[in-house]
Amino acid sequence: MIEMTKNTFWVLTLVALGFAACKKEETVTPSEPLTVETINNLFAPNDEINRETGEIIKENNFVKFSFSAKDTVSDDSWDLAFKGTKILVNGGTGSENITRTGHAGAIIKDGIFEEMLTAPEDSEYRQDSGTDLAIPTGSNNGWYVYNDAAYLITPIAGKVIFVRTHDDKYAKVEILSYYKDAPANPDAFTDQAATFTFRYIYQEDGSKNLQ
C-alpha cells in the first residue's frame, strides 16, 4: 500500500482542482455579438395618384423584406412589407392587397438603438388589423414626421421598431432615411422618395437577445 504524506495529499488536491478549472473553462463558449446589417435604397413607391381627382393611375405592390434572407423576397417568407410610408407585418389582417400567412408583430419603442439589447415580451407586439397597423402611419404617429412646408418625410430619432418575424424570431430596426442615398439634407423635389435606408439586428436562434 502506498503511504500518502500530508504534503503529497495537498499537491494532488491542487492539481485536481486546477484540472477541473481548466476543463470547466474549455466548455464555456462565448457568444458572438450579433451583426448590425444595413439595407440601402429599398425602393417601395406608393401608388401613382391623379392629384386633381384623387384617382389611382397605377397601383404598386408592397415590397416584401425578409430578415433571414437579408433581402427582398417574393414568397410568403416576408417579415415586413413597404409601400410609401406604410410598413406592414406578416401577421394579422388588413385591407391591403397582400397575403399575411405568418405570426409577425411589431412595437415601436423610444430609446437608443445600441442600448436596447432585449426584444420585448410577446404580449407587447401588435399585429395589423383592418383598421390599424402594428407600425402606425401618419405624421408623429409612428416612425416619421411630415413637414408640410418642405414636403419632407423625416424618421424620428430614437424610434426603434421591434419585430417578431413571421416565424417567431426577433429583430430591431431603425429607419435612417426615406430618400435615395440617404442625403443629410434631402430635397423633396429632387431626391427620390420612398427609398428606405435602415439598419437592423436579427436574432436567428429564437431568443430575445439582440446584442
Side-chain angles (χ1 to χ4, degrees):
M1 181 180 292
I2 298 174
E3 183 178 352
M4 183 180 293
T5 66
K6 192 173 183 180
N7 286 340
T8 303
F9 172 79
W10 283 114
V11 168
L12 292 175
T13 301
L14 290 172
V15 169
L17 289 173
F19 177 78
C22 291
K23 189 173 182 180
K24 185 176 180 182
E25 287 178 4
E26 289 173 358
T27 61
V28 176
T29 304
S31 58
E32 294 292 331
L34 298 176
T35 302
V36 179
E37 305 284 353
T38 301
I39 298 297
N40 296 296
N41 295 332
L42 186 152
F43 185 45
N46 208 342
D47 297 333
E48 295 180 20
I49 299 175
N50 185 314
R51 299 296 181 183
E52 296 181 359
T53 65
E55 178 185 1
I56 296 177
I57 302 172
K58 179 184 177 184
E59 184 173 354
N60 291 315
N61 293 325
F62 277 87
V63 177
K64 301 173 182 178
F65 178 81
S66 164
F67 289 108
S68 61
K70 302 181 182 180
D71 204 348
T72 57
V73 295
S74 58
D75 58 19
D76 290 336
S77 67
W78 62 280
D79 301 307
L80 299 178
F82 298 78
K83 181 177 176 178
T85 57
K86 278 188 177 182
I87 305 176
L88 309 183
V89 298
N90 190 359
T93 60
S95 58
E96 300 84 5
N97 186 23
I98 193 169
T99 302
R100 295 172 175 84
T101 60
H103 303 142
I107 183 71
I108 298 178
K109 298 275 190 178
D110 293 325
I112 299 172
F113 182 85
E114 292 82 0
E115 296 179 357
M116 304 180 82
L117 307 180
T118 306
E121 294 300 315
D122 286 342
S123 59
E124 295 189 55
Y125 291 91
R126 301 169 61 237
Q127 293 187 318
D128 294 343
S129 70
T131 58
D132 199 11
L133 296 179
I135 302 173
T137 190
S139 182
N140 274 318
N141 292 332
W143 62 270
Y144 70 91
V145 63
Y146 175 63
N147 182 330
D148 56 5
Y151 304 103
L152 283 174
I153 299 290
T154 304
I156 302 172
K159 294 291 184 181
V160 179
I161 305 171
F162 286 91
V163 180
R164 183 181 64 217
T165 68
H166 79 284
D167 55 352
D168 299 306
K169 306 296 174 49
Y170 298 93
K172 62 179 179 179
V173 179
E174 183 177 36
I175 298 174
L176 304 175
S177 179
Y178 186 69
Y179 297 92
K180 186 176 181 180
D181 297 329
N185 297 294
D187 185 324
F189 298 99
T190 59
D191 292 313
Q192 179 178 284
T195 308
F196 289 84
T197 293
F198 60 91
R199 61 176 177 165
Y200 69 89
I201 284 181
Y202 168 64
Q203 177 56 272
E204 64 180 7
D205 68 7
S207 75
K208 291 182 169 62
N209 170 45
L210 294 174
Q211 59 180 311

